[in-house]
Amino acid sequence: MISEQLKGIIRDGEGLTVEFKECRNKLNKDVYDSVCAFLNRSGGHIVLGVRDDGIVTGIDEDALPQIKKDLVTALNNPQKINPPLYILPETIVIDEKFVLYLNIPESSQVHHCNGKIFDRNEDGDMNITNQSDSVAHLYIRKQSSFSENRIYPYVRINDLRSDLFQRVRKMVRAENPNHPWGVMSDEEILSSARLYQRDYQSGKEGYTLAAVLLFGKDEVIQSILPQYRTDAILRRVNLDRYDDRDDIRTNLIESYDRLMAFVAKHLPDPFHLEKDQRISLRDNIFREVAANILIHREYLNNFPAKFIIEKDQVVTENGNRPHGHGLINPSNFTPYPKNPVIARVFKEIGRAEELGSGVRNLHKYTRIYSGGNDTQFIEGDIFKTIIPVTPQATAQATAQATAQATAQATAQVEKQELIIEFCEEPRTTSEIMEHLQLTHREYFRKFILKPLLESGVLHMIIPDKPNSPNQKYYSHIKDQKNV
């Protein structure tokens, strides 16, 4: 959001989707009521540092960091907003005064603030907690608006894959060693992630479409959604058909893996330094692309999602429930979560960014990757993304990408073999890094240790306390009873 656009919102005044709070030195107590109401209604704009009459009073500069910190902490606290909201306030200067801007999305779920349910109308925020008809209608509206919440009462826990739950536990621990999902049962994870719900209109309750897509066995997914697939295609030489293809019809977690493997096979990864640290432009771009094609998609639409690598661009298409039509400007677009429940799970396991920030990063890195060209986002019944690829990258890709991927995979396998052998006896992080002659701890944690823990190659000697200073790791060939 740029200041001129925000000035326009302020000039138009408060309404169903706009709310002002003065918050000069501290947060107004009713800020969270408004956040809850916006989530439950149509989303919108909350601006802190503006009076009800539209006068910009600003937030004191000394108080700004603490207000922002308190806001982020509360929005991520289920004791305050439940389910919590993952969004960062944006600091904007208007007329030399600081304001905080929150772009609140419409949610697919019913949210509570301090145990109360708020809804929104033109007059402001309404506490509807004790209005049974209003609460029932709110649940009905959410169920009918977001297909990921569709309930399948005959799906049972044994229709879901227990190994995927175990993998998710490892992934969330790698992101946050104290993540509550790390010690929850399969059923508790489903409940916490809102993948088990009740339909207040029909009285049905059970696992949702989102639960099946994330954790379901392949035959269960295909039974419920026979049209579901993600088609990864390489089309550089044979333009009428394809040069390579992966027809992906599995759960969303492994679909992501297969899309990224297809990218590694067919797209180059040019050398790039950021703050004296090499980063993968390709992975930073296409992790976001792969996540978006799986998260922001209307799964009841029969249109199959497509990921097409061409000579000078990569094109993705997927069925969509549009909030507008035409070309989107990434620098000022309003993000709408198409499947907020699925998006939350992807964020928890480290495969999605904050709503909106991931797209901005994609835009930033694409310019570097493509020599100055921009990604195009085209909103419609079919959502389309076009990522340009430089002619140099295209020329290198066919000859070098497979060799590069093979070399990287070989190096990774060699590292794994060294670690497996070295960790026959329990080893600390520092010992393993020294053995591999590595010095960058964050790189080691994210790209080496985390995948080995997720895949079950390494184990913790203190699994209940992943962040323990006494933590050591041992390989699967070491019998745990000897540890």
Side-chain angles (χ1 to χ4, degrees):
M1 172 67 66
I2 59 178
S3 59
E4 290 304 316
Q5 291 175 308
L6 189 55
K7 285 181 181 178
I9 291 173
I10 294 171
R11 279 196 302 268
D12 291 340
E14 292 185 319
L16 182 65
T17 60
V18 178
E19 178 70 24
F20 304 144
K21 304 289 183 185
E22 193 162 356
C23 300
R24 189 164 185 83
N25 298 297
K26 60 181 180 180
L27 283 169
N28 294 35
K29 292 181 179 179
D30 58 354
V31 165
Y32 303 110
D33 299 351
S34 296
V35 170
C36 181
F38 276 45
L39 287 166
N40 286 336
R41 180 53 57 173
S42 304
H45 314 279
I46 297 179
V47 190
L48 311 184
V50 180
R51 287 192 336 210
D52 291 345
D53 59 5
I55 300 298
V56 179
T57 56
I59 298 173
D60 285 351
E61 187 173 359
D62 292 340
L64 185 63
Q66 188 61 46
I67 289 177
K68 195 170 184 178
K69 180 180 178 182
D70 292 344
L71 194 59
V72 171
T73 301
L75 292 178
N76 285 274
N77 179 7
Q79 301 301 317
K80 175 62 72 173
I81 299 286
N82 190 27
L85 172 69
Y86 297 98
I87 195 167
L88 290 174
E90 186 175 354
T91 304
I92 297 176
V93 178
I94 296 180
D95 300 330
E96 301 182 349
K97 297 173 183 176
F98 291 100
V99 301
L100 282 178
Y101 168 70
L102 288 84
N103 187 348
I104 308 298
E106 178 185 3
S107 176
S108 71
Q109 301 169 277
V110 174
H111 291 258
H112 298 68
C113 176
N114 295 323
K116 300 175 182 178
I117 301 175
F118 290 86
D119 201 354
R120 182 81 177 171
N121 66 10
E122 293 288 351
D123 297 324
D125 310 318
M126 304 180 297
N127 180 357
I128 63 169
T129 309
N130 297 319
Q131 301 175 28
S132 56
D133 287 346
S134 297
V135 172
H137 283 300
L138 178 57
Y139 275 96
I140 291 167
R141 179 161 52 83
K142 295 295 185 182
Q143 281 285 355
S144 61
S145 297
F146 293 86
S147 58
E148 67 171 356
N149 286 341
R150 178 172 289 194
I151 292 169
Y152 292 86
Y154 296 109
V155 171
R156 299 290 181 261
I157 190 67
N158 57 7
D159 293 317
L160 310 179
R161 284 176 46 182
S162 59
D163 62 305
L164 289 176
F165 288 101
Q166 187 57 30
R167 186 176 177 191
V168 162
R169 290 186 190 94
K170 292 177 180 178
M171 294 170 81
V172 297
R173 283 196 196 108
E175 291 296 312
N176 174 8
N178 299 314
H179 197 292
W181 289 3
V183 294
M184 286 185 180
S185 67
D186 296 355
E187 291 87 349
E188 287 171 337
I189 290 175
L190 289 163
S191 177
S192 173
R194 300 287 294 169
L195 297 170
Y196 188 98
Q197 294 192 27
R198 179 182 178 190
D199 186 331
Y200 280 76
Q201 182 178 24
S202 67
K204 292 190 301 184
E205 60 181 277
Y207 298 115
T208 63
L209 178 61
V212 173
L213 286 167
L214 285 161
F215 294 103
K217 296 177 179 177
D218 288 358
E219 61 270 22
V220 178
I221 296 173
Q222 290 300 313
S223 175
I224 290 175
L225 293 177
Q227 79 281 5
Y228 161 73
R229 80 171 191 267
T230 303
D231 210 356
I233 299 170
L234 175 69
R235 188 177 285 149
R236 287 203 185 102
V237 179
N238 189 339
L239 303 183
D240 294 326
R241 296 190 73 234
Y242 52 82
D243 307 315
D244 192 13
R245 182 183 184 186
D246 188 5
D247 186 357
I248 304 170
R249 300 172 186 256
T250 191
N251 63 81
L252 299 184
I253 294 172
E254 292 179 330
S255 292
Y256 176 94
D257 294 337
R258 286 172 60 174
L259 281 172
M260 290 306 296
F262 197 80
V263 165
K265 184 178 180 183
H266 293 298
L267 286 170
D269 194 12
F271 184 84
H272 178 70
L273 283 176
E274 187 168 279
K275 296 180 180 178
D276 298 325
Q277 176 67 36
R278 182 181 179 181
I279 68 165
S280 170
L281 290 173
R282 180 191 65 196
D283 289 355
N284 271 282
I285 292 167
F286 290 102
R287 277 199 299 261
E288 182 68 23
V289 173
N292 282 347
I293 200 174
L294 298 173
I295 294 172
H296 303 297
R297 177 171 168 186
E298 178 48 68
Y299 282 97
L300 298 185
N301 189 319
N302 289 335
F303 186 84
K306 297 178 182 179
F307 182 99
I308 307 170
I309 300 175
E310 300 177 344
K311 286 185 178 181
D312 57 358
Q313 63 185 15
V314 177
V315 179
T316 72
E317 298 178 340
N318 56 272
N320 185 36
R321 186 169 59 86
H323 285 267
H325 287 80
L327 194 65
I328 294 173
N329 184 344
S331 65
N332 61 12
F333 84 113
T334 300
Y336 291 95
K338 306 302 192 299
N339 296 295
V341 174
I342 294 173
R344 181 197 173 195
V345 173
F346 264 64
K347 182 181 181 300
E348 295 297 323
I349 63 178
R351 288 186 168 175
E353 301 286 343
E354 299 286 348
L355 191 63
S357 64
V359 172
R360 287 187 284 272
N361 285 333
L362 169 60
H363 192 58
K364 166 189 169 184
Y365 288 122
T366 298
R367 284 184 169 180
I368 304 170
Y369 189 74
S370 65
N373 297 311
D374 288 334
T375 299
Q376 295 182 60
F377 304 94
I378 304 169
E379 176 102 54
D381 293 332
I382 304 301
F383 191 94
K384 190 172 185 178
T385 305
I386 302 174
I387 304 99
V389 180
T390 63
Q392 179 183 5
T394 303
Q396 293 173 341
T398 302
Q400 295 182 3
T402 301
Q404 181 186 34
T406 302
Q408 290 174 344
T410 301
Q412 193 69 10
V413 168
E414 290 174 352
K415 281 192 179 76
Q416 289 187 11
E417 290 175 349
L418 284 172
I419 293 172
I420 291 170
E421 182 178 353
F422 184 63
C423 291
E424 286 188 36
E425 299 295 333
R427 308 287 186 178
T428 65
T429 296
S430 298
E431 288 171 337
I432 301 172
M433 289 179 63
E434 183 178 353
H435 184 67
L436 296 177
Q437 297 183 333
L438 295 174
T439 58
H440 196 282
R441 183 173 288 268
E442 181 63 19
Y443 171 85
F444 171 77
R445 186 192 69 81
K446 188 172 183 179
F447 295 105
I448 297 178
L449 182 60
K450 177 182 173 183
L452 291 176
L453 290 170
E454 288 178 3
S455 62
V457 172
L458 287 186
H459 302 272
M460 303 178 194
I461 65 169
I462 315 174
D464 295 336
K465 296 181 179 179
N467 212 27
S468 170
N470 299 318
Q471 188 66 264
K472 293 184 179 181
Y473 306 92
Y474 66 95
S475 64
H476 68 288
I477 60 176
K478 176 70 178 175
D479 194 1
Q480 188 169 3
K481 68 183 179 182
N482 295 325
V483 175

